[in-house]
Amino acid sequence: MDVRAPERVAPASEEPLDLLRTAGVPVVARAAAALAAVVVVAASVLRIRRRRNARKNGPGAV
């Protein structure tokens, strides 16, 4: 039986992989969705706080 070490194959290119170019669009889409969710939650919290303060102070309070 002939036992040999596996042959080493040189990589096709020595350039580093550009991850932004490779996966940029999906990453940007997910980041945009997350940012939109944060904006919606923040707007909702502000709206609820304003309603509570308006109820507490009354419609004519300064």
Side-chain angles (χ1 to χ4, degrees), residues 7 15 22 24-25 31-34 36 38-39 47-48 51-52 57 60-61:
E7 293 181 30
E15 295 179 19
T22 303
V25 174
V38 168
V39 168
R47 188 172 185 176
I48 290 170
R51 282 186 178 180
R52 284 185 181 172
N57 296 332

Side-chain angles (χ1 to χ4, degrees), residues 11-62:
S13 86
E14 296 294 327
E15 295 179 19
L17 180 63
D18 185 7
L19 292 177
L20 188 58
R21 183 176 292 172
T22 303
V25 174
V27 169
V28 169
R30 288 182 180 159
L35 181 62
V38 168
V39 168
V40 167
V41 168
S44 298
V45 167
L46 288 175
R47 188 172 185 176
I48 290 170
R49 289 178 72 189
R50 284 185 187 168
R51 282 186 178 180
R52 284 185 181 172
N53 287 338
R55 238 184 245 164
K56 197 183 293 185
N57 296 332
V62 177

